[in-house]
Amino acid sequence: MIGIIYLASGFARRFGSNKLFYPIEGKEMYRFGLDILMDLCREKISGQEIKLHVVTQYAEIMEECRRRKVAYTQNTMAEEGIAASVRLGVLAFPDADWFLFLPADQPGITKETMISFIKAVLSQPKTMASVYCENKPGNPTMFHSSYRQALLSLKGDKGGRKIMKASPENVFWYPISFEEIVDIDQPAEIIK
């Protein structure tokens, strides 16, 4: 089973307001990824079941998860940084074979790319994976369950990239387009 962890706890300090609720084409930013991931859970990819868990500090997103019957965890430690969200997501999937992380500020990602990324990761022997564009790493990322304890040990504003940097030989790199990899930090970066 692949446990997908949707990271929706950020403060968006550079954006000037809460970017997760910023409307793009009439739809709040966080809902782009949520819609795709919910749809992905109806698939079985390379024999693997897909399950979704949202980690957020925001009441509005928790309410949307309840309404749509999506599993979620309230992140009361968001001030710590990304590591708190990673730990909460990993704890939600005690039996996962793989953990996949996607942040909620990447509205350009497509279901087709998510499926092709997962298929590519599962068809090769490396135990960590990341997308990239023009030599710039991005999200989503995947970690085999053998990294469970390492992910749970992360602290502060350091995510799984720290684990990848410690063992670069174990990382599989998958190319995607700029439109899909861009994570929105400022309104000017919105390209939808």
Side-chain angles (χ1 to χ4, degrees):
M1 182 263 288
I2 298 170
I4 297 183
I5 298 152
Y6 194 46
L7 304 166
S9 289
F11 287 94
R13 291 184 174 103
R14 287 178 285 177
F15 196 80
S17 63
N18 193 327
K19 65 183 173 182
L20 299 184
F21 301 107
Y22 189 86
I24 302 172
E25 297 178 354
K27 184 171 164 177
E28 293 167 311
M29 187 185 300
Y30 83 89
R31 287 185 44 221
F32 284 88
L34 182 62
D35 290 347
I36 286 168
L37 297 178
M38 286 182 68
D39 198 26
L40 203 60
C41 288
R42 297 182 185 97
E43 307 275 340
K44 212 169 200 181
I45 302 173
S46 301
Q48 289 276 349
E49 184 181 5
I50 311 294
K51 291 189 178 177
L52 171 62
H53 198 91
V54 176
V55 179
T56 186
Q57 64 169 317
Y58 298 110
E60 299 94 324
I61 297 177
M62 288 185 272
E63 179 55 38
E64 183 71 5
C65 289
R66 283 191 291 273
R67 189 180 71 74
R68 297 171 78 171
K69 297 179 174 45
V70 174
Y72 70 91
T73 298
Q74 181 178 8
N75 184 356
T76 59
M77 304 171 285
E79 280 288 345
E80 177 190 340
I82 190 69
S85 292
V86 169
R87 292 193 311 268
L88 290 169
V90 169
L91 288 170
F93 291 115
D95 301 321
D97 299 303
W98 287 87
F99 303 103
L100 185 152
F101 297 92
L102 181 70
D105 63 352
Q106 223 172 305
I109 197 78
T110 65
K111 178 183 173 185
E112 293 72 29
T113 291
M114 294 292 293
I115 290 172
S116 62
F117 173 61
I118 293 168
K119 282 182 175 177
V121 172
L122 297 178
S123 70
Q124 55 81 51
K126 294 191 177 185
T127 50
M128 293 183 280
S130 176
V131 300
Y132 76 95
C133 178
E134 298 175 2
N135 296 319
K136 179 185 181 287
N139 290 292
T141 58
M142 282 180 72
F143 294 82
H144 185 265
S145 60
S146 57
Y147 291 97
R148 179 182 176 81
Q149 200 51 53
L151 290 163
L152 290 173
S153 298
L154 292 169
K155 302 284 184 213
D157 206 26
K158 298 287 182 188
R161 226 31 92 195
K162 178 180 179 181
I163 300 168
M164 290 182 173
K165 287 178 181 172
S167 301
E169 71 282 3
N170 295 327
V171 181
F172 170 71
W173 294 97
Y174 186 81
I176 68 171
S177 70
F178 175 77
E179 290 76 21
E180 291 185 280
I181 203 171
V182 69
D183 61 330
I184 308 297
D185 289 323
Q186 298 174 10
E189 294 172 332
I190 294 170
I191 53 179
K192 270 214 167 270

